[in-house]
Amino acid sequence: MQFSETWLRKLVNLDVDTATLAHQLSMAGLEVGSVSPVAGAFTKVVVGRVQSLTPHPGADKLRVCQVAITDDSNQLLQIICGASNVAVDQCVAVATIGAELPDGMRIKRAKLRGIESFGMICSASELGLEDKSSGIMVLPADAPLGQDLRQYLDLDDNIIEVDLTPDRGDCLSVTGIARELGAINRAATLSVPIKPQQLVLEDAYPVQVQDPEGCPRYVCRIIRNLNSNAVTPLWMQERLRRSGVRSISPVVDVTNYVMLELGQPMHGFDLATLDQHIEVRMAKPGEQLLLLDGRTVDLTANTLLIADASKPLALAGIMGGEASAVTANTTEVLLESAFFQPKCIIGKARHYAAMTDSAYRFERGVDPQLQVLAMERATELLLAIAGGNPGPVVEVAHCEYLPSPTTIILRRKSLNRLLGMSIADVTVMDILQRLSMQPEPMDDGWKVIAPSARFDIQGEVDLIADVARINGYGAIPFKQAVVTTSLEDVPEAAFDLERAKDILVNRGYQEVITYSFVSAEIQDLFTTGEVGAKRLANPLSKELAVMRPGLCFLSRKSKLPKPDSFTCWPSSKDTRIRSKNSSTISLDSRLFNPSLSNKCSAMSALV
């Protein structure tokens, strides 16, 4: 997961620099993979507005632009621009004379085909904001003329990428990361302001949850009369970009933003495409779904779907369908927010080759109490951007299938034994409270209830690990390990594996370690009519798609594999290897004992 440092600091009041922040996250078990600036280093780039355009008399693809960088209409910069998307009244990024761009280019007064140019209208890629750009960077119409672009876009920021372990799904959001840093630094964490929206409509869309175990909570809401011409504000586009998410449209951007902010994946359906009601059910035999990425997939019976009365709409928690997708003309949407059991999502995204941010979070688990709050937050943001009239929040909940808070006993004796040190009771209480847990002192320890977001807390050892993390791994005392060893006599008649290997090498053989899985093309070179290879239904890659049915042997000198070049067969007493010249080597069977080879199930191939 990656996110903006500036966004993070708006949610938690930290008095540490970027390097310290990254170190704290890594030492807390949230390994920071990289910290990089959000833009390249550039100077003297300001906001300008294109006042007029005229064709360049000496070049068909160039145009002469008169650009204002102040409110004084008499002070215009003449700039030659070749971008096809430049237009009158656009606000653009202007590199003035003396500006230096990320690639080292310094802007000077120039003459192109006989016409002077006093600056450069920049693209996002030229400023290091994107890898590729199809034209110049167009800014919002209300961008202040002459303001430094770094200040306007808040580009003095860093992108922090965190490599999370599967158990820390609670940190797959900026809010979750802020909670961790707040606990580490004893800093105040600001909650995202969420308030219920005033209802304008009475429309409540019907919902039928046919698989309550797979979807214990489903929440939706109708919003009508959206402005289809609305544009996602620049501040949201930038936060999405810095989180590795491309801005698409207000509805999609808002659902992605809430996912990044709170950790709750959401989806928006075009209301006009829906039939009668929403069904949450398993797929039926023979059903297909055209996904948003343009692929049509055959649905298996164990796939949880979002559907309406006549058709599947989406792979639950993974990806929506093309037929119900929000388009540029959509004015009525049905927003969805749900809790799906991880066991219903795990493996499905890989099966359908649809690894999405939503599936990544649902596989690890989301906060089961977050769905209504996320709906209200998304509604608030969408109404602020595109207007609209919201209906009531429809919630279908089966609480018996929702994860319930678990009371865990943390014993003082176990804490001290596993950490090898004694931590004061007041410190333990403070750490647990900073982690938003509910500790209650007992005679021999604490009774603790973890918050709903910390679904990874399942037992006493999890609490001990959290206390160790927040207290600091550096506080654990270092003790030199002491091990009693003794030398054993090796009988002269004992089998020497290394000597056996040397003998084989001296006779022209080599040992190789082969994988249990190979590509179908390689396996087809060795498979005979009597032996069939097991092909995996869900391989990690095409190079590891087939499980070998046995050992494969190659000729030393031939370029093409010859299965009969060498023959190897184990017996109860010994193993014999027959080479091309029919000579036979007899080896002790212990040579092929897995326990005697380093990470190798056998001396599996000779070349």
Side-chain angles (χ1 to χ4, degrees):
M1 176 188 171
Q2 68 181 54
F3 53 88
S4 160
E5 181 183 354
T6 299
W7 187 6
L8 174 69
R9 289 182 182 273
K10 290 184 181 296
L11 294 179
V12 59
N13 185 20
L14 297 175
D15 190 21
V16 296
D17 59 18
T18 303
T20 303
L21 184 153
H23 177 72
Q24 288 180 342
L25 286 175
S26 293
M27 292 305 295
L30 312 177
E31 182 181 358
V32 174
S34 65
V35 178
S36 57
V38 301
F42 60 82
T43 59
K44 294 188 177 181
V45 179
V46 300
V47 177
R49 178 178 291 112
V50 179
Q51 298 292 86
S52 66
L53 285 175
T54 57
H56 192 292
D60 294 338
K61 294 185 178 181
L62 298 180
R63 280 176 280 184
V64 181
C65 307
Q66 300 298 325
V67 182
I69 58 173
T70 67
D71 293 329
D72 188 350
S73 60
N74 295 321
Q75 297 183 5
L76 300 179
L77 294 179
Q78 179 173 283
I79 298 176
I80 308 299
C81 181
S84 60
N85 67 324
V86 65
V88 176
D89 291 333
Q90 278 182 344
C91 282
V92 293
V94 180
T96 58
I97 300 297
E100 187 170 351
L101 301 185
D103 61 359
M105 177 188 296
R106 187 176 293 274
I107 304 302
K108 301 177 182 179
R109 178 177 175 176
K111 182 177 289 188
L112 285 77
R113 301 287 182 91
I115 304 294
E116 288 189 309
S117 182
F118 299 89
M120 176 179 172
I121 301 178
C122 302
S123 67
S125 60
E126 289 167 335
L127 298 176
L129 296 172
E130 296 178 358
D131 293 333
K132 295 181 180 180
S133 298
S134 58
I136 61 171
M137 182 178 183
V138 180
L139 302 174
D142 60 352
L145 289 183
Q147 184 173 8
D148 185 275
L149 190 71
R150 298 195 72 90
Q151 180 183 356
Y152 174 63
L153 295 180
D154 194 16
L155 296 180
D156 293 324
D157 187 12
N158 294 302
I159 296 174
I160 301 176
E161 185 174 359
V162 178
D163 300 324
L164 297 172
T165 52
D167 60 319
R168 293 309 306 270
D170 62 297
C171 288
L172 285 170
S173 66
V174 181
T175 300
I177 298 290
R179 281 196 302 260
E180 283 292 300
L181 287 170
I184 294 170
N185 292 281
R186 291 186 172 85
T189 302
L190 304 178
S191 59
V192 176
I194 300 175
K195 58 181 180 180
Q197 298 300 298
Q198 183 176 0
L199 301 184
V200 179
L201 306 174
E202 297 298 328
D203 298 357
Y205 207 75
V207 176
Q208 300 175 8
V209 177
Q210 299 177 12
D211 186 358
E213 186 175 359
C215 179
R217 174 172 281 128
Y218 188 89
V219 176
C220 66
R221 161 180 267 168
I222 290 176
I223 302 180
R224 299 186 188 273
N225 302 321
L226 292 171
N227 179 8
S228 60
N229 296 320
V231 178
T232 303
L234 185 63
W235 66 266
M236 182 177 289
Q237 291 186 39
E238 275 297 295
R239 286 187 177 180
L240 291 173
R241 181 185 71 81
R242 298 175 196 188
S243 300
V245 178
R246 181 171 57 92
S247 175
I248 298 175
S249 68
V251 175
V252 177
D253 291 349
V254 163
T255 56
N256 283 333
Y257 184 85
V258 171
M259 177 186 69
L260 293 169
E261 183 181 53
L262 301 178
Q264 172 64 48
M266 298 186 65
H267 188 68
F269 299 103
D270 187 330
L271 187 63
T273 66
L274 304 186
D275 184 11
Q276 300 182 37
H277 61 259
I278 287 291
E279 296 179 0
V280 184
R281 60 172 174 81
M282 287 296 182
K284 299 175 182 178
E287 282 189 311
Q288 293 183 323
L289 177 63
L290 175 60
L291 297 176
L292 283 172
D293 60 7
R295 295 180 299 115
T296 299
V297 294
D298 296 317
L299 302 174
T300 58
N302 61 346
T303 300
L304 189 63
L305 296 180
I306 308 299
D308 60 17
S310 59
K311 61 186 179 298
L313 301 174
L315 297 175
I318 300 175
M319 184 181 289
E322 182 70 30
S324 60
V326 173
T327 67
N329 299 320
T330 298
T331 59
E332 299 178 340
V333 299
L334 180 73
L335 290 182
E336 167 196 270
S337 176
F339 175 78
F340 300 112
Q341 292 286 5
K343 65 181 182 180
C344 292
I345 308 299
I346 291 175
K348 299 299 186 299
R350 186 180 297 277
H351 173 76
Y352 291 108
M355 295 301 297
T356 61
D357 290 337
S358 175
Y360 188 78
R361 285 162 173 79
F362 278 122
E363 284 182 340
R364 286 153 179 77
V366 301
D367 186 346
Q369 303 300 324
L370 194 57
Q371 288 70 50
V372 174
L373 293 176
M375 180 62 69
E376 296 290 3
R377 176 60 170 163
T379 304
E380 177 186 4
L381 291 170
L382 188 55
L383 296 186
I385 296 171
N389 302 321
V393 174
V394 177
E395 179 183 8
V396 177
H398 296 268
C399 297
E400 65 272 22
Y401 295 114
L402 285 169
S404 57
T406 303
T407 300
I408 302 172
I409 303 300
L410 174 59
R411 295 167 295 176
R412 186 182 297 105
K413 181 178 179 181
S414 297
L415 178 68
N416 297 339
R417 176 176 59 85
L418 291 180
L419 297 185
M421 60 182 295
S422 178
I423 300 179
D425 287 4
V426 63
T427 302
V428 176
M429 281 286 293
D430 176 55
I431 290 174
L432 294 175
Q433 289 171 347
R434 280 152 55 193
L435 290 170
S436 302
M437 299 187 187
Q438 302 175 38
E440 180 182 337
M442 300 173 57
D443 291 340
D444 59 346
W446 301 266
K447 182 186 297 184
V448 183
I449 299 177
S452 59
R454 292 300 307 275
F455 35 80
D456 60 305
I457 302 296
Q458 298 293 327
E460 184 181 35
V461 292
D462 300 317
L463 292 175
I464 294 174
D466 262 19
V467 171
R469 286 191 313 107
I470 304 303
N471 191 58
Y473 293 129
I476 298 177
F478 174 79
K479 295 181 180 179
Q480 186 69 43
V482 178
V483 179
T484 302
T485 61
S486 61
L487 296 177
E488 296 183 1
D489 294 333
V490 179
E492 293 183 2
F495 176 78
D496 189 340
L497 175 62
E498 295 303 321
R499 177 58 180 157
K501 291 182 178 181
D502 291 341
I503 292 174
L504 288 173
V505 171
N506 292 336
R507 296 193 182 190
Y509 299 102
Q510 292 179 347
E511 178 186 6
V512 298
I513 300 174
T514 60
Y515 294 105
S516 297
F517 301 99
V518 296
S519 68
E521 292 78 10
I522 291 179
Q523 182 57 46
D524 288 343
L525 296 174
F526 299 101
T527 303
T528 63
E530 297 81 21
V531 181
K534 298 295 183 181
R535 298 178 184 267
L536 304 185
N538 190 25
L540 293 175
S541 69
K542 66 178 182 180
E543 288 78 14
L544 303 173
V546 177
M547 178 179 289
R548 294 188 295 113
L551 302 180
C552 299
F553 296 92
L554 307 181
S555 169
R556 277 191 83 226
K557 298 180 180 179
S558 176
K559 295 182 179 179
L560 295 176
K562 296 182 179 180
D564 59 348
S565 295
F566 290 94
T567 305
C568 174
W569 64 97
S571 65
S572 59
K573 296 182 179 180
D574 67 311
T575 296
R576 289 170 288 166
I577 300 177
R578 180 177 298 155
S579 63
K580 288 175 62 178
N581 58 12
S582 299
S583 62
T584 301
I585 303 173
S586 181
L587 301 175
D588 191 296
S589 61
R590 287 175 294 174
L591 179 61
F592 293 86
N593 190 324
S595 64
L596 298 179
S597 295
N598 182 21
K599 298 182 180 179
C600 178
S601 63
M603 183 172 290
S604 55
L606 299 173
V607 296

